[in-house]
Amino acid sequence: QNYLDNFWPDLKAAHELFDSIVQARRERESESQENHGKEYPEHLPVEVLEAGIKSGRYLQGALNVNKHRAQLEAFVRLQGFGGKDTG
């Protein structure tokens, strides 16, 4: 902030970008505190998952991620659906 104020006081875009970054960091820290310092929420217990799969609430499958576009392309191949042997 000091650098921008001292050397680039009229560069509005840089100040807006800095403010945006500060806000994003605050939101991430807030989310981290809500999750007790963990970046991601905890997984459901195995018993809950198994019951959910049996009831049809959850689906089970293999996650396939495109190695060249991992952040953009992925899909889940459901067990028992669309396999080579099912036609």
Side-chain angles (χ1 to χ4, degrees):
Q1 181 69 47
N2 290 337
Y3 175 80
L4 290 175
D5 290 340
N6 291 327
F7 294 101
W8 303 99
D10 299 327
L11 191 57
K12 185 178 178 182
H15 286 274
E16 290 174 357
L17 177 60
F18 178 79
D19 292 340
S20 174
I21 292 169
V22 168
Q23 180 63 27
R25 287 187 66 195
R26 286 184 186 143
E27 289 174 7
R28 188 171 186 179
E29 288 170 2
S30 174
E31 289 173 1
S32 179
Q33 289 174 355
E34 290 173 5
N35 293 328
H36 306 292
K38 298 176 184 170
E39 189 171 349
Y40 300 99
E42 293 185 17
H43 295 285
L44 294 173
V46 173
E47 302 81 31
V48 173
L49 292 174
E50 288 175 348
I53 290 170
K54 287 180 183 176
S55 72
R57 180 175 181 173
Y58 302 123
L59 300 173
Q60 183 175 3
L63 176 64
N64 293 284
V65 180
N66 183 324
K67 67 181 178 180
H68 301 291
R69 297 175 49 126
Q71 294 180 345
L72 301 174
E73 293 182 13
F75 66 93
V76 176
R77 185 180 311 268
L78 299 177
Q79 292 182 353
F81 294 97
K84 292 179 182 176
D85 57 339
T86 62

